[in-house]
Amino acid sequence: MGSGFIVQAAVLIGAFMLLLMGAVAAWTAPNATKRVAGVIVALIGAIIAMAALQAPPSWLIAGAAVALGYCVVGTTVVVRLQEAYGAAETSAIDAADDEGEPPEPGA
């Protein structure tokens, strides 16, 4: 009981740390590419945590499918942002959006 439990607990703790690091990176990164990468890291951590908790294989496959789908869509969005705005920095994208919008009446 001792050795297997310790290894499983260590894997679970590592997976949760990976999940949290990815979530923080996705939340605080000023770059759209880094935000997508942070979410992908968080999804990988979640899949590892599910495996450590002995989730059914169908859940693991579904999690991997969601992660792959997010990777494809996120990369597509980042490429489209780069083409449209010429930058992947969120501050530059916000500034370009503010320039393109007409001023509000009464402002």
Side-chain angles (χ1 to χ4, degrees), residues 84-85 89-104 107:
Y85 296 104
E89 297 291 324
T90 54
S91 59
I93 294 169
D94 290 341
D97 275 345
D98 291 340
E99 289 176 8
E101 292 182 4
E104 296 198 19

Side-chain angles (χ1 to χ4, degrees), residues 1-85:
M1 175 182 144
S3 178
F5 178 74
I6 292 172
V7 171
Q8 184 179 10
V11 170
L12 189 59
I13 289 170
F16 280 130
M17 292 302 293
L18 191 63
L19 179 107
L20 290 175
M21 286 188 306
V24 168
W27 194 0
T28 61
N31 189 316
T33 307
K34 291 178 183 176
R35 287 184 180 196
V36 170
V39 172
I40 292 171
V41 167
L43 286 170
I44 290 170
I47 292 169
I48 293 171
M50 286 192 317
L53 292 172
Q54 300 174 352
S58 59
W59 290 11
L60 299 176
I61 293 170
V66 167
L68 179 64
Y70 183 82
C71 183
V72 169
V73 172
T75 305
T76 304
V77 168
V78 168
V79 168
R80 182 67 185 115
L81 286 172
Q82 183 69 31
E83 289 175 352
Y85 296 104

